[in-house]
Amino acid sequence: AILKGQTLVNLINDGEVTKNATNNWVIFSADFNADMIKTSTDYTLITYVISNTLSDGSGCDFGVSGGQNDGFGFKAIRVPSGKVGVYKIKLTTKNVFSEPPVLRQQILNDVATGSITFKQVLVEGDYTNIDIPYFEGMQSVENPTVITSNSPVQFGKGGRL
């Protein structure tokens, strides 16, 4: 995949997060810049699962789950118990917000044990077919063209994404 002269902004403020399973479903929201979310716009939520010791039969939904909201609607990607790696989902905002958008996520199953550790990036646009390493804040991609891979992307004058 190729990126040319773009600026990417990670709208999520959380950094690395660990969530522990309990006797109930664990529902949590990502801390993100909801005021920067536009109506009728595609966003890509990229979740980098670092560690996953959730018990068999459980898992974690990333995206919009655990309840509907007006901003993104209801769409999530499920990470099964024990799986790690990069998970991507395209979310499209609705035409009108009657309340601020929410990224509500959850650990499944009220008998789950273990924990899941992850980082997330929420960027405007559809990047489901482009490898983007984790970053915080804003990253500028300078010309010449950047060809992404599974390793950190280096570009321009020694900058790093």
Side-chain angles (χ1 to χ4, degrees), residues 68-86:
Q68 207 136 352
N69 76 75
D70 268 353
F72 290 107
F74 186 85
K75 189 172 181 183
I77 189 165
R78 181 157 295 165
V79 177
S81 59
K83 299 293 183 185
V84 295
V86 179

Side-chain angles (χ1 to χ4, degrees), residues 116-159:
I116 189 164
T117 300
F118 58 91
K119 296 178 181 181
Q120 291 182 303
V121 169
L122 179 66
V123 291
E124 183 179 335
D126 182 358
Y127 292 95
T128 52
N129 295 316
I130 298 175
D131 295 326
I132 299 175
Y134 175 79
F135 69 94
E136 294 179 10
M138 181 170 46
Q139 295 291 332
S140 291
V141 178
E142 300 176 32
N143 288 325
T145 300
V146 174
I147 301 174
T148 64
S149 67
N150 290 337
S151 59
V153 177
Q154 298 205 9
F155 53 89
K157 300 177 180 119

Side-chain angles (χ1 to χ4, degrees), residues 64-74 94 99 102 104:
V64 180
S65 61
Q68 207 136 352
N69 76 75
D70 268 353
F72 290 107
F74 186 85
K94 296 184 177 183
E99 60 185 58
V102 175
R104 192 174 291 124

